């Protein structure tokens, strides 16, 4: 199994104390991680939609909501529940730890903590969270999407895609056999901070189908009337 490479991992630091946020960010960058920051839950939601972090470091006490409630909201959403969360907090009683862990977080670190401990706990959580993410490829039958080289292959034949179509195909291939509305696709392909019309989704679905059609994979991308789109490799390609 390939070891987790920190430079491949994006970490969202949700902490309202700027000095603590800067200190954590400095140590993470030194450790090879890409750092995204938010000072409250509202900003954090936008960062999650825009960047799809591999891990979230979440403070308990935030100005607009508690970290516990934010963690619960992530866990309720099918599209974010797989993102591992480590809660960082000064609350150290057993009841607090139980409440934090019951919210769905993957680990709980009490302040103050050392950079060495934080990085070690992060590595452990990322290892547990990435049995299917250790590889660079996502497959659907003979359709292969390589995350490292940013290439798509039909068998050994390359498929040329624009950047938006690549992101869309990556999303569909990692979320197979489920229906997603245009609004959901806008959030998770374009990002929550980008304002485009929902019909833009239809345009890019059409382009993606056109690119997949010569290889028979356009049938995988199905329109579900009144609901949105579904990527189903079980569909006939003949």
């Amino acid at each position: 199994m390939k070891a987790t490479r920190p430079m491949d991992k994006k970490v969202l630091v949700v902490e309202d104390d700027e000095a603590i946020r800067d200190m954590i960010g400095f140590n993470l960058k030194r450790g090879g991680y890409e750092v995204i920051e938010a000072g409250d839950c509202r900003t954090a939601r936008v960062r999650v939609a825009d960047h799809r972090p591999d891990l979230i470091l979440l403070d308990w006490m935030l100005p607009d909501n508690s970290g516990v409630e934010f963690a619960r909201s992530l866990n309720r959403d099918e599209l974010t529940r797989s993102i591992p969360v480590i809660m960082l907090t000064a609350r150290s009683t057993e009841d607090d730890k139980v409440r934090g862990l019951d919210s769905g977080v993957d680990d709980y670190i009490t302040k103050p903590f050392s950079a060495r401990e934080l990085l070690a706990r992060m590595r452990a959580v990322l290892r547990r969270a990435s049995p299917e993410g250790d590889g660079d490829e996502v497959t659907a039958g003979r359709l292969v999407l390589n995350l490292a080289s940013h290439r798509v292959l039909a068998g050994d034949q390359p498929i040329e895609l624009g950047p938006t179509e690549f992101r869309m195909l990556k999303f569909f291939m990692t979320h197979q056999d489920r229906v997603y509305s245009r609004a959901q696709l806008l959030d998770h392909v374009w990002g929550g901070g980008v304002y485009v019309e929902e019909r833009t989704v239809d345009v890019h679905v059409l382009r993606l189908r056109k690119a997949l059609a010569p290889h028979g994979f356009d049938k995988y991308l199905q329109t579900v009337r009144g609901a949105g789109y579904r990527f189903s490799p079980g569909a006939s390609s003949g």
Side-chain angles (χ1 to χ4, degrees), residues 5-213:
R5 298 172 296 180
M7 66 284 297
D8 292 340
K9 303 298 181 182
K10 292 184 285 190
V11 180
L12 172 60
V13 181
V14 188
E15 165 66 64
D16 63 323
D17 187 314
E18 186 175 355
I20 295 176
R21 196 168 67 237
D22 288 346
M23 180 270 292
I24 293 172
F26 172 77
N27 285 295
L28 295 190
K29 289 172 185 175
R30 247 176 49 163
Y33 293 93
E34 179 182 342
V35 178
I36 308 154
E37 299 182 2
D40 53 49
C41 294
R42 181 176 177 275
T43 305
R45 291 182 196 283
V46 175
R47 298 286 186 268
V48 169
D50 285 349
H51 299 282
R52 293 294 299 171
D54 298 287
L55 174 69
I56 298 174
L57 300 180
L58 178 62
D59 186 31
W60 184 309
M61 301 296 292
L62 293 165
D64 56 345
N65 204 348
S66 75
V68 167
E69 289 306 315
F70 183 64
R72 284 179 178 147
S73 71
L74 292 173
N75 205 37
R76 285 193 297 266
D77 189 335
E78 174 198 335
L79 298 175
T80 56
R81 67 172 57 126
S82 62
I83 302 174
V85 178
I86 298 177
M87 183 159 282
L88 311 176
T89 177
R91 294 172 177 255
S92 58
T93 69
E94 184 178 2
D95 285 346
D96 287 332
K97 290 181 181 178
V98 169
R99 185 180 168 199
L101 292 168
D102 281 348
S103 70
V105 304
D106 298 83
D107 202 352
Y108 186 105
I109 304 178
T110 55
K111 300 176 183 178
F113 50 81
S114 69
R116 185 179 177 186
E117 178 190 6
L118 175 61
L119 291 170
R121 302 277 279 271
M122 288 171 55
R123 287 193 296 269
V125 167
L126 285 167
R127 279 196 301 270
R128 293 198 300 267
S130 62
E132 62 181 319
D134 278 339
D136 287 326
E137 291 186 346
V138 183
T139 63
R142 290 176 57 253
L143 184 62
V144 179
L145 185 145
N146 190 293
L147 302 171
S149 64
H150 216 73
R151 297 176 66 192
V152 179
L153 299 174
D156 59 355
Q157 298 296 312
I159 299 176
E160 297 298 326
L161 296 178
T164 301
E165 286 72 42
F166 183 91
R167 291 197 306 272
M168 179 177 281
L169 182 61
K170 175 187 173 184
F171 177 80
F172 277 127
M173 289 182 70
T174 52
H175 298 83
Q176 298 179 19
D177 292 309
R178 295 180 181 274
V179 178
Y180 294 98
S181 68
R182 290 168 178 83
Q184 287 176 313
L185 290 170
L186 283 175
D187 278 346
H188 292 278
V189 176
W190 279 261
V194 178
Y195 299 98
V196 293
E197 296 182 3
E198 289 192 2
R199 63 183 177 183
T200 301
V201 174
D202 301 328
V203 172
H204 287 279
V205 166
L206 186 63
R207 291 178 183 172
L208 179 55
R209 279 184 174 143
K210 185 175 180 181
L212 297 176

